[in-house]
């Protein structure tokens, strides 16, 4: 973000320009307006400057953009009357290498009077733009930085020991005191500027008290340098100090204009504080002052943009913005990039510039012609189907955070050899409650259910289609992610009324049946096998296995175990939960069976048997008793006072049908007697009296 | 014309006037009594006194016609006051609240609208990991370490600096391009993460869809056409779409895409921050560095990419108010949308 003063900007632009015009132009050119504030007669505006355009972090930079848009001449930085002789410069400056510091310019002003008052307009503008007033020299340095973009620093020469400065990387970690007397840790490799004895500043970020210019200072040295961007960025991050200076260095400062701006700044200081500017300047510039010129092809421009511009139009556009162009014979331009446009390095950067100047809205609209083959995403489609099926069965969809409390595994008693265990933790979570990448959706869903009870949405069946995360070394990220469907339900499924004289609660058998519906849709055969999960009620937890592979689990949740979940106490009914992975879709072929032309007969049998006997075993015994038993279904299950606690009554419906004839009562009676005898022998199951 | 006939005529006029201006049901009973009972009795007794057979026959017909008219009008009027009970015993105004669909999550509902259109334009859906490598989330997207643009996305780390939670689904595009050669036409929907505390307007998790089209000769004009079509299909033909320059490291030229505010129709309101426009999409031509990085010849192939964050959009689309609510899952809200 950059804040600028409208009055200041106007000094570089058309005198009649209005703030509205300025905002409009900036917005159209990609600099988002972020707010404005009226201070006195001025308007302070904030715009967003993206990382690619550090040249827009100054008033002159914004003025260039505005004037170019309005076809006016671009404002220039005055040239320095430079006379460089580094050997004659009274202070010996040693630059360690060009990677650390690309450019270092310095000059001296002797006999300044830094006790004068900073001019009001300087003070006011700095204040309006959020920079504290210090003393005239420092204020002017800051002012010129906001004006032209070059951060600068000043030193009190008398405080530099031995008249020698070193620009180098810190050889080891040590502590320093920065301005404002706060202690900071400098790490090995941070760029510092020091003399023989002490550190004078953390390059490009902040100074120390050691050689700082105060109102007492007489002879001063001004510095305008360009330090390594990445280094400034890392140091600034490590110190957690961001200054207007570091903000600019991180993004890039135009080394080409450092000396000009430094000289301009010195002249301004002289005008205000008096003194004499030294005739020699120090100027270190690591070579490459060569022109940045790029070839731009007309064909490439038009084919990337879908335009039909001609070479003259492109040339006019670019020249307006300060790019010098020479026409080349093969419908191309040799484009000389202005030094402040650090972002323009390749042909495509110029094409973007052309698009921006031409106006995105002036680029035609044309549907592409492309031939790609259809790629089926069966897992994605499966998830869509599951979503539709569940919503169709009155389940509601939720999305929960992927990270859960870091101690969830311990709280739920999930052991590290359980398949739903994981310990993938975030290194920088927003808090411990959002820190473990969930290996199961059960915490998320019970939490969500409890939240709903707290806002009086009771009697719910909800689901989530989300990811679960597991450690897996061979995968490049070290993490296996599974698309998982979690289902949770509690409370009343069918309310009382409309012929139902008692409400029907969600039950374990509902959950099993819902699971069956979904698995059947995808043609997945599955089996259940008891498993011991502490967070489930005794004996209710089962693993879901498909072709021998574990694909999920099912169970009645143990509310005590989830006591740590907020509002869980509000849920009075039993809570049923199941989750399964959607990483496989089966293909169970389904065909119509031959149906008999004779009418089927249905009979109900209320059998009392041990709870250890599975309904499936009874069903199979009945089926195997005769080929004329077509189907056996469970219609109800219950217990009453007359039964032993280890028993329950199950109501079976048997469907008889023969392909040969209409079954007689006698025939049915025979089959019935057969299987009742078998059931009694095998399972001690008998008809309820 | 006989006297009687004339009298019936004037009675008829009187009756029609009375019945058409009738205000309540009780008056209808009076009319019935006056005309159908009493007056008819009078007429029939009068008829008995007529001697001439021809005349008697004629008058009898007139009286009968008049009676029919009375009955018809009275019956119509009774209908008007719904005096007759309906024969059906069912009250069609009653519903059982237990018979209904569950509700979908608004983020998914909105995403599906978008997906449907993109799939019909030939895009395929591709998924990728949420736990991602720096390489695919940043580096190969032209954001080497220490790139200033990384500031924009504060990233969650599993093991810094290499394993992180993806901050956009662009990583899926990189994985796809590394696997397949052009032409490519994909969308990658899913959850992405950025470090942000949970408060009414912030969440550390977002739902996003990104798209990518790479082939020979794909241009910015194509990008415009596809995205304008998408927005108009989702938000209606009447919206306006504008393209603004912006910066993303992985595209160039890059464009921010605004649509006219659906709440205020560009007049300016709270939803659009009084600007009349809502930024909905980030997009651009895939940067040649990205194409070269996955081994594509950038002088032969070009393409465009776009990304759309659904959270803020869902807020506007469904009038939800708070971003946080998207992850609170208050089902009574979902039921309404
Ligand atoms: Zn609006």
């Amino acid at each position: 973000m950059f804040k600028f003063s409208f009055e200041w900007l106007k000094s570089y632009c058309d005198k009649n320009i209005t703030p509205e015009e300025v905002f409009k132009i900036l917005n159209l050119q990609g600099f988002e307006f972020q707010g404005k504030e009226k201070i006195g007669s001025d308007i302070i505006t904030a715009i967003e400057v993206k990382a690619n355009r550090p040249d827009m972090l100054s008033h002159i930079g914004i003025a260039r953009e505005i004037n170019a848009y309005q076809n006016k001449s671009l404002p220039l930085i005055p040239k320095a009357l430079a006379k460089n002789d580094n050997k004659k410069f009274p202070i010996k400056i040693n630059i360690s290498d060009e990677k650390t510091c690309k450019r270092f310019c310095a000059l001296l002003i002797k006999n300044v009077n830094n006790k004068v008052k900073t001019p009001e307009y300087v003070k006011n503008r700095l204040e309006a733009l959020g920079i504290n007033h210090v003393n005239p020299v420092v204020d002017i340095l800051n002012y010129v930085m906001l004006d032209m973009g070059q951060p600068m620093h000043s030193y009190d020469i008398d405080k530099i020991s031995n008249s020698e400065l070193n620009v180098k990387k810190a050889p080891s970690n040590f502590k320093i005191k920065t301005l404002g007397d706060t202690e900071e840790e400098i790490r090995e490799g941070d760029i510092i500027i020091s003399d023989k004895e002490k550190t004078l500043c953390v390059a490009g970020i902040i100074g120390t008290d050691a050689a700082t210019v105060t109102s007492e200072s007489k002879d001063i040295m001004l510095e305008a340098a360009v330090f390594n961007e990445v280094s400034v960025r890392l140091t600034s991050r490590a110190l957690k100090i961001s200054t207007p200076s570091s903000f600019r260095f991180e993004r890039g400062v135009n080394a080409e204009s450092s000396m000009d701006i430094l000289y301009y700044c010195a002249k301004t200081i002289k005008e205000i504080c008096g003194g004499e500017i030294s005739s020699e300047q120090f100027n270190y510039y690591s070579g490459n002052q060569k022109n940045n010129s790029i070839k731009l092809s007309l064909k490439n421009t038009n084919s990337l943009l879908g335009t039909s511009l001609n070479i003259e139009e492109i040339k006019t556009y670019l020249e307006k913005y300060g790019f010098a162009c020479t026409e080349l014979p093969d419908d191309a331009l040799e484009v000389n990039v202005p030094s402040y446009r650090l972002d323009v390095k390749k042909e495509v950067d110029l094409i973007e510039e052309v698009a921006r100047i031409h106006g995105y809205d002036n680029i035609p609209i044309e549907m592409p012609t492309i031939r790609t083959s259809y790629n089926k995403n069966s897992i994605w489609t499966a998830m869509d189907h599951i979503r539709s099926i569940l919503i169709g069965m009155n389940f509601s969809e939720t999305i929960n955070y992927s990270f859960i409390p870091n101690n969830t595994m311990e709280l739920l008693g999930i052991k590290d050899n359980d398949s739903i265990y994981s310990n993938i933790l975030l290194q920088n979570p927003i808090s411990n409650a959002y820190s473990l990448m969930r290996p199961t959706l059960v915490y998320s869903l019970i939490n969500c259910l409890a939240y709903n009870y707290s806002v009086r949405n009771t009697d719910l069946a909800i689901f989530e289609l989300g990811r679960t995360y597991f450690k897996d070394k061979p995968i490049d990220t070290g993490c296996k992610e599974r698309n998982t469907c979690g289902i949770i339900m509690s409370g009343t499924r069918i309310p009382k009324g409309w012929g139902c004289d008692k409400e029907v609660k969600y039950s374990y058998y509902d959950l099993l049946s819902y699971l069956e519906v979904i698995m059947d849709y995808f043609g997945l055969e599955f089996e259940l096998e008891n498993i011991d999960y502490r967070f489930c009620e005794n004996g209710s937890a089962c693993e879901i296995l498909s072709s021998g592979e574990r694909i999920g689990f099912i169970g009645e949740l143990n509310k005590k175990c989830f006591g740590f979940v907020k509002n869980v106490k509000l849920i009075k009914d039993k809570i049923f939960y199941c989750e399964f992975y959607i990483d496989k879709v089966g293909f169970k072929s389904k065909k119509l069976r031959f149906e008999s032309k004779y009418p089927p007969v249905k009979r109900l049998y209320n059998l009392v048997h041990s709870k250890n006997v599975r309904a499936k075993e009874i069903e199979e015994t009945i089926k195997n008793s005769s080929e004329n038993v077509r189907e056996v279904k469970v219609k109800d299950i219950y217990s009453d006072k007359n039964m032993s606690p280890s028993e329950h009554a199950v109501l079976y419906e048997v469907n008889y049908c023969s392909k040969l004839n209409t079954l007689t009562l006698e025939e049915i009676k025979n089959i019935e007697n057969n299987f009742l005898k078998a059931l009694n022998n095998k399972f001690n199951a008998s008809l309820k009296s | 014309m006989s006297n009687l006939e004339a009298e019936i005529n004037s009675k008829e006029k009187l009756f029609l006037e009375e019945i058409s201006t009738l205000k309540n049901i009780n008056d209808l009973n009076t009319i019935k009594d006056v005309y159908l009972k009493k007056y008819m009795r009078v007429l029939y007794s009068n008829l008995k006194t007529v001697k001439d057979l021809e005349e008697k026959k004629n008058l009898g017909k007139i009286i009968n016609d008049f009676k029919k008219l009375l009955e018809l009008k009275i019956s119509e009027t009774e209908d008007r006051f719904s005096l007759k009970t309906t024969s059906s015993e069912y009250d069609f105004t009653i519903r059982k609240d237990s018979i209904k669909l569950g509700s979908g999550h608004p983020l998914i509902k909105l995403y599906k609208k978008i997906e449907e259109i993109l799939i019909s334009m030939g895009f395929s859906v591709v998924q990728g990991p949420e736990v991602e490598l720096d390489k695919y989330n940043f580096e190969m997207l032209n954001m080497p370490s220490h790139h200033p643009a990384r500031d924009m996305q504060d990233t969650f780390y599993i093991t810094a600096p290499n394993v992180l939670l993806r901050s956009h689904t662009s990583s899926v595009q990189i994985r796809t391009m590394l696997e397949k050669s052009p032409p490519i036409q994909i969308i990658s929907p899913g959850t992405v993460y950025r470090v942000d505390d949970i408060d009414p307007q912030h969440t550390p998790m977002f739902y996003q869809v990104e798209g990518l089209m790479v082939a020979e000769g794909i241009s910015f004009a194509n990008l415009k056409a596809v995205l304008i079509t998408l927005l108009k299909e989702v938000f209606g033909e009447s919206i306006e779409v504008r393209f603004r320059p912006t910066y993303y490291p992985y595209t160039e030229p890059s464009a921010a895409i605004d649509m006219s505010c659906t709440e205020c129709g560009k007049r300016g309101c709270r939803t659009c921050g009084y600007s009349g426009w809502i930024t909905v999409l980030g997009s651009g031509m895939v940067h040649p560095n990205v194409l070269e990085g996955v081994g594509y010849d950038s002088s032969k192939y070009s393409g465009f990419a776009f990304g759309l964050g659904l959270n803020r959009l869902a807020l506007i689309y469904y009038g939800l108010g708070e971003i946080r609510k998207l992850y609170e899952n208050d089902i009574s809200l979902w039921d309404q949308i």
Side-chain angles (χ1 to χ4, degrees):
Chain A
M1 192 185 74
F2 178 63
K3 278 186 176 178
F4 65 88
S5 141
F6 177 67
E7 287 300 320
W8 193 340
L9 180 72
K10 216 162 78 172
S11 66
Y12 287 116
C13 298
D14 179 359
K15 296 284 163 287
N16 299 318
I17 198 162
T18 62
E20 287 66 36
E21 278 175 283
V22 170
F23 305 150
K24 197 188 122 212
I25 294 168
L26 290 175
N27 208 28
L28 280 173
Q29 294 305 298
F31 304 96
E32 224 165 280
F33 172 76
Q34 291 197 313
K36 63 176 178 187
E37 187 188 359
K38 213 167 150 42
I39 296 185
S41 60
D42 202 357
I43 297 166
I44 305 299
T45 306
I47 55 165
E48 192 191 5
V49 176
K50 296 270 167 73
N52 63 328
R53 291 297 302 272
D55 61 301
M56 290 293 281
L57 298 170
S58 65
H59 284 78
I60 210 167
I62 294 175
R64 275 194 294 252
E65 199 65 35
I66 306 270
N67 287 8
Y69 188 87
Q70 296 193 315
N71 281 317
K72 302 227 155 55
S73 61
L74 307 185
L76 298 172
I77 292 167
K79 283 276 166 214
L81 299 167
K83 207 170 121 198
N84 311 323
D85 193 338
N86 293 356
K87 293 217 172 85
K88 277 192 187 160
F89 195 69
I91 297 183
K92 190 169 187 304
I93 301 172
N94 308 307
I95 315 278
S96 71
D97 62 283
E98 60 191 60
K99 266 193 121 178
T100 302
C101 176
K102 189 176 178 188
R103 189 164 195 189
F104 196 101
C105 303
L107 54 72
L108 305 181
I109 314 178
K110 291 196 165 163
N111 270 320
V112 293
N113 174 8
N114 205 17
K115 285 183 176 155
V116 296
K117 274 194 174 165
T118 301
E120 281 303 307
Y121 76 96
V122 173
K123 225 167 124 176
N124 291 344
R125 283 178 176 177
L126 286 179
E127 196 183 317
L129 298 173
I131 293 184
N132 291 334
H133 153 70
V134 183
N135 59 48
V137 168
V138 175
D139 290 348
I140 293 161
L141 288 172
N142 284 329
Y143 187 86
V144 175
M145 173 183 70
L146 295 179
D147 197 14
M148 298 178 172
Q150 168 77 50
M152 286 169 286
H153 194 68
S154 58
Y155 302 83
D156 187 326
I157 297 176
D158 297 335
K159 296 178 191 163
I160 301 176
S161 65
N162 247 2
S163 296
E164 189 171 338
L165 279 184
N166 299 300
V167 182
K168 61 176 185 192
K169 287 185 172 165
S172 58
N173 292 10
F174 62 95
K175 288 201 159 71
I176 58 158
K177 277 199 172 153
T178 56
L179 286 170
D181 211 31
T182 47
E183 195 172 71
E184 301 289 352
E185 166 100 18
I186 297 295
R187 302 164 313 155
E188 181 186 340
D190 288 341
I191 308 172
I192 52 166
I193 297 171
S194 58
D195 61 17
K196 269 260 155 62
E197 296 154 358
K198 51 201 184 289
T199 303
L200 306 184
C201 65
V202 188
I205 300 173
I206 196 165
T208 68
D209 289 330
T212 193
V213 170
T214 65
S215 54
E216 306 297 326
S217 300
K218 278 257 164 295
D219 298 341
I220 61 170
M221 182 184 108
L222 303 184
E223 162 219 294
V226 177
F227 303 105
N228 183 293
E229 294 156 27
V230 174
S231 180
V232 171
R233 181 179 171 74
L234 292 178
T235 307
S236 158
R237 290 219 124 187
L239 293 175
K240 295 198 174 73
I241 297 176
S242 177
T243 57
S245 160
S246 69
F247 189 76
R248 284 169 177 76
F249 279 125
E250 280 174 29
R251 285 161 177 75
V253 169
N254 176 19
E256 196 61 30
S257 57
S258 300
M259 184 54 98
D260 296 335
I261 297 172
L262 182 71
Y263 195 79
Y264 171 81
C265 182
K267 275 182 23 187
T268 314
I269 291 176
K270 189 186 160 186
E271 273 167 32
I272 290 158
C273 308
E276 303 127 46
I277 302 174
S278 62
S279 54
E280 267 81 36
Q281 292 126 34
F282 180 86
N283 184 5
Y284 168 84
Y285 197 173
S286 64
N288 52 11
Q289 277 154 285
K290 64 169 186 273
N291 286 337
N292 176 11
S293 90
I294 301 167
K295 187 179 162 186
L296 176 64
S297 126
L298 178 69
K299 186 176 146 280
N300 290 351
T301 309
N302 281 330
S303 73
L304 189 68
L305 300 180
T307 46
S308 43
L309 297 164
N310 62 45
I311 207 90
E312 281 70 36
E313 285 172 295
I314 296 178
K315 191 166 178 250
T316 316
Y317 283 157
L318 289 172
E319 285 183 337
K320 233 167 83 165
Y321 278 75
F323 295 81
C325 302
T326 321
E327 269 186 61
L328 297 176
D330 51 344
D331 256 346
L333 292 173
E334 175 86 29
V335 182
N336 208 329
V337 181
S339 65
Y340 51 83
R341 287 302 300 271
L342 301 172
D343 59 315
V344 181
K345 293 170 193 144
K346 287 185 152 197
E347 187 182 34
V348 68
D349 302 324
L350 286 173
I351 297 176
E352 176 175 57
E353 205 61 14
V354 171
R356 200 169 68 94
I357 302 166
H358 182 58
Y360 284 7
D361 284 336
N362 297 321
I363 292 173
I365 297 166
E366 197 191 320
M367 266 296 178
T369 45
I370 177 171
R371 272 187 207 172
T372 49
S373 51
Y374 171 68
N375 287 299
K376 192 177 164 187
N377 187 333
S378 50
I379 298 299
W380 192 252
T381 315
M383 292 203 286
D384 280 348
H385 286 309
I386 290 174
R387 179 179 291 116
S388 306
I389 293 169
L390 286 171
I391 290 176
M393 295 193 299
N394 197 12
F395 282 70
S396 292
E397 185 176 25
T398 65
I399 300 179
N400 299 286
Y401 294 113
S402 308
F403 10 72
I404 58 177
N406 58 350
N407 56 351
T408 310
M409 296 292 102
E410 294 96 86
L411 290 170
L412 298 186
I414 299 172
K415 299 179 291 288
D416 57 9
N417 57 351
D418 284 336
S419 52
I420 52 165
Y421 175 87
S422 141
N423 59 346
I424 303 173
L425 288 158
L426 292 179
Q427 288 181 327
N428 55 336
I430 53 171
S431 83
N432 284 337
Y434 302 93
S435 138
L436 173 70
M437 297 306 290
R438 56 184 184 180
T440 163
L441 305 184
V442 68
Y443 169 81
S444 307
L445 282 167
I446 196 172
N447 194 51
C448 183
L449 184 68
Y451 171 78
N452 272 287
Y453 269 72
S454 79
V455 291
R456 296 194 183 79
N457 304 330
T458 56
D459 308 310
L460 280 181
I462 60 178
F463 72 99
E464 175 172 12
L465 286 161
R467 295 254 174 112
T468 49
Y469 311 82
F470 305 90
K471 276 200 173 151
D472 196 342
K473 273 258 168 64
I475 292 175
D476 58 359
T477 58
C479 174
K480 178 174 182 171
E481 296 175 34
R482 304 189 83 162
N483 293 306
T484 309
C485 178
I487 293 175
I488 198 166
M489 56 186 79
S490 188
T492 300
R493 184 165 70 86
I494 303 168
K496 192 179 145 185
W498 302 109
C500 211
D501 48 6
K502 248 177 82 186
E503 58 182 7
V504 179
K505 302 261 186 191
Y506 281 109
S507 76
Y508 191 71
Y509 301 105
D510 291 339
L511 182 61
L512 285 167
S513 310
Y514 285 127
L515 179 67
E516 177 85 32
V517 166
I518 295 163
M519 291 297 162
D520 194 54
Y521 186 90
F522 290 103
L524 283 180
E525 308 261 11
F526 73 98
E527 278 163 38
L528 297 172
E529 226 169 65
N530 274 111
I531 186 174
D532 186 27
Y533 279 152
R534 216 191 75 199
F535 62 87
C536 290
E537 289 291 339
N538 232 346
S540 74
C542 288
E543 281 197 309
I544 308 169
L545 301 161
S546 177
S547 345
E549 207 186 314
R550 191 199 161 271
I551 60 161
F553 72 92
I554 185 167
E556 182 194 337
L557 300 182
N558 178 337
K559 282 191 262 179
K560 262 189 212 136
C561 198
F562 286 95
F564 68 99
V565 175
K566 203 175 159 192
N567 294 319
V568 87
K569 286 196 188 74
L570 300 174
I571 310 171
K572 301 292 182 214
D573 293 300
K574 291 178 175 179
I575 306 170
F576 301 100
Y577 178 81
C578 120
E579 74 180 26
F580 54 90
Y581 307 125
I582 309 150
D583 40 24
K584 204 170 66 180
V585 179
F587 299 95
K588 189 161 83 181
S589 85
K590 290 194 170 182
K591 280 193 183 136
L592 282 177
R593 287 176 307 178
F594 173 69
E595 292 296 325
S596 166
K597 61 182 175 182
Y598 301 103
V601 178
K602 283 177 184 174
R603 286 284 156 87
L604 289 170
Y605 302 92
N606 208 352
L607 292 166
V608 178
H609 56 71
S610 156
K611 285 177 179 170
N612 290 328
V613 175
R614 301 286 174 231
K616 201 171 178 189
E617 297 175 277
I618 305 268
E619 280 170 32
E620 264 157 26
T621 307
I622 299 175
K623 262 192 195 161
N624 293 338
S625 66
S626 159
E627 59 175 4
N628 291 336
V629 172
R630 302 300 302 271
E631 215 175 3
V632 184
K633 286 180 184 168
V634 174
K635 290 303 217 184
D636 201 1
I637 181 165
Y638 65 97
S639 320
D640 65 36
K641 278 175 259 161
N642 303 328
M643 295 174 220
S644 111
S646 65
E647 286 182 327
H648 53 195
V650 182
L651 184 65
Y652 294 91
E653 182 192 84
V654 179
N655 190 336
Y656 302 92
C657 188
S658 165
K659 284 180 191 173
L660 307 174
N661 61 316
T662 304
L663 288 171
T664 62
L665 283 178
E666 194 119 340
E667 283 170 304
I668 292 173
K669 196 84 199 157
N670 265 333
I671 302 169
E672 200 177 279
N673 285 338
N674 274 340
F675 71 69
L676 285 176
K677 202 185 276 171
L679 291 175
N680 205 315
N681 290 339
K682 253 169 133 176
F683 306 113
N684 196 23
S686 56
L687 280 176
K688 191 170 189 294
S689 45
Chain B
M1 190 165 45
S2 71
N3 285 341
L4 195 55
E5 199 179 339
E7 196 197 303
I8 291 173
N9 268 337
S10 69
K11 269 283 182 205
E12 185 180 318
K13 265 185 201 148
L14 193 67
F15 166 77
L16 285 175
E17 199 188 309
E18 277 180 31
I19 201 149
S20 66
T21 57
L22 195 77
K23 286 278 150 45
N24 66 62
I25 302 160
N26 295 335
D27 295 350
L28 187 66
N29 290 333
T30 318
I31 286 179
K32 265 185 181 168
D33 195 50
V34 169
Y35 290 92
L36 266 183
K37 277 193 188 158
K38 292 184 182 148
Y39 187 59
M40 272 302 150
R41 217 178 289 145
V42 173
L43 282 178
Y44 283 120
S45 61
N46 279 348
L47 187 63
K48 278 180 192 158
T49 64
V50 178
K51 296 284 181 283
D52 182 272
L53 272 181
E54 192 63 22
E55 199 191 338
K56 194 169 187 160
K57 198 178 162 194
N58 188 28
L59 264 178
K61 191 180 177 299
I62 290 170
I63 292 169
N64 274 335
D65 283 352
F66 181 52
K67 193 183 174 201
K68 272 183 195 154
L69 177 83
L70 290 179
E71 282 167 347
L72 178 73
K73 286 291 161 191
I74 286 167
S75 154
E76 274 176 16
T77 313
E78 277 174 346
D79 273 353
R80 182 150 66 88
F81 286 106
S82 306
L83 275 183
K84 288 179 182 167
T85 54
T86 49
S87 59
S88 167
E89 61 184 284
Y90 294 120
D91 180 347
F92 52 75
T93 62
I94 290 173
R95 309 285 185 278
K96 290 173 84 166
D97 74 338
S98 56
I99 295 179
K100 66 183 183 68
L101 290 179
S103 36
H105 192 282
L107 282 175
I108 305 295
K109 278 171 124 169
L110 183 57
Y111 165 70
K112 286 291 163 191
K113 283 178 194 286
I114 292 163
E115 185 190 77
E116 191 191 340
I117 295 150
L118 289 169
I119 287 180
S120 75
M121 288 198 261
F123 287 86
S124 306
V125 180
V126 183
Q127 282 188 283
E130 291 173 13
V131 175
E132 193 45 285
L133 297 175
D134 180 272
K135 188 162 69 164
Y136 301 132
N137 192 72
F138 289 124
E139 213 176 297
M140 296 189 75
L141 287 159
N142 205 24
M143 275 184 282
S145 47
H146 318 310
H147 192 285
R150 286 194 179 197
D151 245 4
M152 298 187 286
Q153 16 207 343
D154 264 310
T155 314
F156 282 115
Y157 284 94
I158 304 288
T159 40
N162 286 326
V163 185
L164 43 79
L165 293 186
R166 67 180 178 194
S167 57
H168 45 204
T169 57
S170 314
S171 48
V172 182
Q173 305 181 346
I174 296 290
R175 282 178 181 272
T176 307
M177 287 195 284
L178 284 170
E179 228 168 72
K180 284 182 60 183
S181 39
I184 298 260
Q185 194 182 2
I186 56 159
I187 51 171
S188 46
T191 297
V192 301
Y193 304 85
R194 285 177 205 174
V195 178
D196 227 335
D197 283 323
I198 299 170
D199 67 32
Q201 293 311 334
H202 298 92
T203 54
M205 213 164 102
F206 306 83
Y207 201 85
Q208 196 189 38
V209 55
E210 293 204 12
L212 176 74
M213 185 188 283
V214 181
E216 284 182 58
I218 297 296
S219 70
F220 196 93
N222 299 151
L223 175 158
K224 283 182 73 172
V226 167
L227 297 180
I228 289 174
T229 308
L230 172 66
L231 290 177
K232 294 211 165 195
E233 286 292 331
V234 177
F235 294 96
E237 201 52 45
S238 62
I239 58 150
E240 283 177 55
V241 179
R242 86 179 175 188
F243 291 74
R244 279 183 300 117
T246 188
Y247 168 71
Y248 305 109
Y250 33 90
T251 51
E252 187 162 24
S254 304
I257 303 173
D258 303 338
M259 66 172 187
S260 51
C261 179
T262 48
E263 293 289 301
C264 64
K266 261 172 80 183
R267 280 187 303 276
C269 68
R270 244 184 61 183
T271 300
C272 56
Y274 303 97
S275 69
W277 295 92
I278 297 169
T279 306
V280 282
L281 278 159
S283 68
M285 301 305 294
V286 182
H287 198 288
N289 290 357
V290 175
L291 295 175
E292 295 291 335
V294 296
Y296 289 4
D297 179 354
S298 69
S299 66
K300 186 174 174 195
Y301 297 109
S302 56
F304 67 82
F306 59 90
L308 194 152
L310 284 133
N311 293 41
R312 211 172 64 86
L313 216 52
L315 231 62
I316 296 168
Y317 202 91
Y318 297 109
L320 212 54
E322 287 182 12
I323 286 223
R324 180 172 59 182
K325 287 191 176 155
L326 289 168
Y327 298 101
E328 284 179 349
N329 303 297
D330 179 340
I331 300 302
S332 65
L333 298 182
W334 287 190
D335 277 345
Q336 297 171 42
I337 54 186

